[in-house]
């Protein structure tokens, strides 16, 4: 329950002239600012919003301004109500929309943000208005706990939450009742029953849900959207800075209709649900208005089709190598590898480690008017005007090796092969390199030295690897600490030694750790950057590439010539306060010393 307040504050809306006087009395604004505010009529604008937009100097904290966070903190101290940051990722939208009607929420400018076993948390920007409390407690049969929130967030999320909940309810009611039926005894029958009762993918409610999901994903800086069917409900999850977050739960019928709607937009076969499919669609970011491309992939599962949308932001390709995290000596090594007119350059790492971004950024810089750059991909990750792109099509027997063979007759200077998966593709890449072409490709290995062994496992002779390999870059993406809230603390020497083992690197005196704030949505991290391990094929290293070679020997020689392992590259980021030991150890592999 809310704290007791003096009678003079009961049932009183916040008013600008009163707030101005109280802020002056508290020593937070100057007399000149107070006098100016007393003459203003804000009309329908909430006084807290107006004050925050004025960016007044905080008289109690020189150099700071009275933004919304400062105003809410000050008001919290006066009312005893905690400040609440409304984060949709942490809110059960369907549950909070059931607490009260949309009309009741809009009339009183309140929003339910948590539904707990013991109470319901209600956000408001009018701490003195209490008339609605008793009615709501009577209906809910639970005590309410009041919190303060940004009035702009309350208005915005009230519209979004209720619109989403209404669309889900509307879509669910538009179709036939979904559930177990007599005679349904196995999974195949259950899936057939679900197909018979599937909702119309073009239903307006379904369209609204899809639009909301896409807009919400862009706002949250998501790189992937997962729609995963289960027996009763479908789960919607976003991958943000490399970590998956639960966002919403959809009824099973609605989940299937949403997947069908997205398949229609991606020009995929809606009737085919038994085999995996790929597609793509283009839309626009609501923030920038810029074009955003999404790559779609479906997978048949026990309870229906699982859909993943990978979001490709064209702005990533406009970033410099330094912004991607590739700089200084590592950048010089990478430019040395890719400056040769022929040979093979490999980028390695797991799915989602930034290989595509690195390759596309490199190709954009190499694709001048004097050279012919061609790619063969499966699928084309992002359509790019700077070079020629061809997609693998197994239906007509167009695979990587066939594609490279065709590209060789197109007078190319630089060829990018999406992935070297088999000996035939590896042989074609080698032949292209031997005949004077620069070949860039990817390989799925843990680190750079292991890639040499992988090529030999595929069946490439050691002498061909020596002759054609220019270098290998292994990479990972680590989350970067939020600059607004990170704090310094003494380094944990045991954790540092575990990170840099077996190398006796001197630990820094202090390292940064995440805290969490509004800017980073309480995660402590904001964005990701790459850490890199670059192996250059020098004469000394080439001497190690023999039929019975050991990856350990290749690593030792490469490190003696300046290569840093992924963990050492991450340790440098830790020492500079950009990320944490735990984050580097989460993504970077540990090799045998």
């Amino acid at each position: 329950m809310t704290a007791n307040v003096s009678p003079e504050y009961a049932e009183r809306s916040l008013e600008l002239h009163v707030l101005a006087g109280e802020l002056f009395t508290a020593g937070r604004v100057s007399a000149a600012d107070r006098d100016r505010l007393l003459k203003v009529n804000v009309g329908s604008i909430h006084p807290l919003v107006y004050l925050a937009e004025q960016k007044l100097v905080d008289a109690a904290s020189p150099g700071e301004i009275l933004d919304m966070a400062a105003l809410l903190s000050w008001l919290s101290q006066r009312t005893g109500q905690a400040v609440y940051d409304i984060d949709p990722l942490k809110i059960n939208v369907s549950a909070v929309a059931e607490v009260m009607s949309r009309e009741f929420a809009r009339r009183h400018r309140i929003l339910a943000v948590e539904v707990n076993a013991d109470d319901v948390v209600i956000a408001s920007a009018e701490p003195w208005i209490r008339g609605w409390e008793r009615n709501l407690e009577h209906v809910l049969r639970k005590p309410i706990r009041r919190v303060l929130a940004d009035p702009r967030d309350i208005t915005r999320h009230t519209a979004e939450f209720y619109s989403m909940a209404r669309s889900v309810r509307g879509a669910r009611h538009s179709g036939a009742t979904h559930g177990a039926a007599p005679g349904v005894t196995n999974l195949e029958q259950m899936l057939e029953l679900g197909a018979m009762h599937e909702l119309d993918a073009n239903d307006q409610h379904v369209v609204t849900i899809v639009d909301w999901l896409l807009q919400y994903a862009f706002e949250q800086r998501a790189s992937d959207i997962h729609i995963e069917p289960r027996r009763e409900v479908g789960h919607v999850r976003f991958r943000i800075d490399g970590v998956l977050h639960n966002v919403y739960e959809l009824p099973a019928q609605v989940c299937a209709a949403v997947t069908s709607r997205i398949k229609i937009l991606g020009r995929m076969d809606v009737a085919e649900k038994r085999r995996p499919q790929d597609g793509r669609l283009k839309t626009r970011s609501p923030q920038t208005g810029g074009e955003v491309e999404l790559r779609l992939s479906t997978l048949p599962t026990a309870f229906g089709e699982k859909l993943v949308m990978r979001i490709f932001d064209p702005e990533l390709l406009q970033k410099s190598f330094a912004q991607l995290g590739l700089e200084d000596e590592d950048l010089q090594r990478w430019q040395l590898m890719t400056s040769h007119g022929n040979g093979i350059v490999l980028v390695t790492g797991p799915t989602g480690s930034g290989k595509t971004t690195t390759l596309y950024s490199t190709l954009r810089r190499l694709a001048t008017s004097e050279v012919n750059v061609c790619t063969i991909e499966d699928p084309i990750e992002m359509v790019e005007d700077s070079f020629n792109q061809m997609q693998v099509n197994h239906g007509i027997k167009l695979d990587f090796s066939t594609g490279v063979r065709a590209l060789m007759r197109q007078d190319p200077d630089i060829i990018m092969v999406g992935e070297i998966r088999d000996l035939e593709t590896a042989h074609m890449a080698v032949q292209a390199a031997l005949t004077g072409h620069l070949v860039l490709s990817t390989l799925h290995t843990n680190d750079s030295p292991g890639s040499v062994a992988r090529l030999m496992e595929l069946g490439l002779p050691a002498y061909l690897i020596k002759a054609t390999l220019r270098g290998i870059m292994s990479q990972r993406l680590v989350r970067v600490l939020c600059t607004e809230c990170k704090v310094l603390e003494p380094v944990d020497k045991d954790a540092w030694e575990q990170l840099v083992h077996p190398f006796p690197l001197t630990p820094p005196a202090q390292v940064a750790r995440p805290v969490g704030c509004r800017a980073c949505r309480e995660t402590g991290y904001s964005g990701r950057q790459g850490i890199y391990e670059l192996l250059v094929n020098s004469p000394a290293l080439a001497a190690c590439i023999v039929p019975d070679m050991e990856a350990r020997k290749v690593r030792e020689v490469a490190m003696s010539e300046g290569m840093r392992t992924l963990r050492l590259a991450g340790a440098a980021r830790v020492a500079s306060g950009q990320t944490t030991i735990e984050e580097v150890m989460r993504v970077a592999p540990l090799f045998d010393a």
Side-chain angles (χ1 to χ4, degrees), residues 227-230 232-236 248-252 255:
I227 300 177
E228 304 171 332
R230 297 290 188 268
E232 300 293 338
V233 297
H235 298 288
V236 179
Y248 206 85
E249 288 187 353
L250 297 170
C255 182

Side-chain angles (χ1 to χ4, degrees), residues 90-226:
K90 300 176 181 177
I91 291 177
N92 186 336
V93 176
S94 57
V96 300
E98 296 296 327
V99 169
M100 67 188 87
S101 69
R102 180 174 186 167
E103 291 70 24
F104 188 88
R106 292 180 64 179
R107 182 165 67 251
H108 296 289
R109 297 183 182 182
I110 58 178
L111 179 64
V113 290
E114 289 182 22
V115 181
N116 305 313
D118 300 325
D119 62 8
V120 177
V121 181
I122 307 293
S124 167
E126 292 289 351
W128 312 125
I129 302 296
R130 305 180 61 192
W132 50 266
E133 291 181 11
R134 183 169 298 179
N135 289 338
L136 192 57
E137 284 186 331
H138 178 72
V139 172
L140 297 175
R141 297 183 180 179
K142 283 183 182 180
I144 65 170
R145 176 160 51 92
R146 295 191 55 164
V147 292
L148 287 171
D150 187 332
R152 295 167 296 190
D153 288 347
I154 293 174
T155 301
R156 173 192 167 193
H157 291 303
T158 298
E160 289 184 354
F161 292 174
Y162 282 93
S163 294
M164 182 63 173
R166 182 178 60 190
S167 295
V168 171
R169 283 196 302 270
R172 183 170 51 196
H173 294 155
S174 296
T177 303
H178 180 75
V184 177
T185 58
N186 60 44
L187 179 63
E188 185 176 349
Q189 288 177 317
M190 186 177 72
L191 294 178
E192 288 177 359
L193 180 67
M196 286 192 324
H197 292 291
E198 186 170 322
L199 298 173
D200 181 2
N202 293 313
D203 183 278
Q204 185 56 48
H205 296 299
V206 176
V207 172
T208 300
I209 294 169
V210 172
D211 290 344
W212 183 84
L213 286 176
L214 293 178
Q215 176 182 339
Y216 188 29
F218 298 150
E219 291 176 357
Q220 299 295 323
R221 300 181 292 103
S223 60
D224 301 85
I225 305 171
H226 292 240

Side-chain angles (χ1 to χ4, degrees), residues 358-417:
T358 299
L359 283 175
Y360 272 55
S361 297
T362 301
L363 289 176
R364 278 179 61 93
R365 285 158 177 78
L366 295 175
T368 64
S369 58
E370 291 82 18
V371 296
N372 176 21
V373 179
C374 300
T375 75
I376 172 75
E377 304 172 61
D378 182 23
I380 294 174
E381 300 276 11
M382 188 182 297
V383 178
E384 172 56 48
D385 293 335
S386 303
F387 38 86
N388 310 290
Q389 297 170 281
M390 176 169 62
Q391 180 162 318
V392 165
N393 187 336
H394 296 287
I396 57 173
K397 297 183 179 179
L398 174 58
D399 55 18
F400 280 122
S401 59
T402 307
V404 175
R405 190 177 291 111
L407 290 180
M408 293 280 285
R409 296 191 287 270
Q410 288 287 313
D411 185 31
D413 296 291
I414 301 170
I415 297 173
M416 194 270 274
V417 183

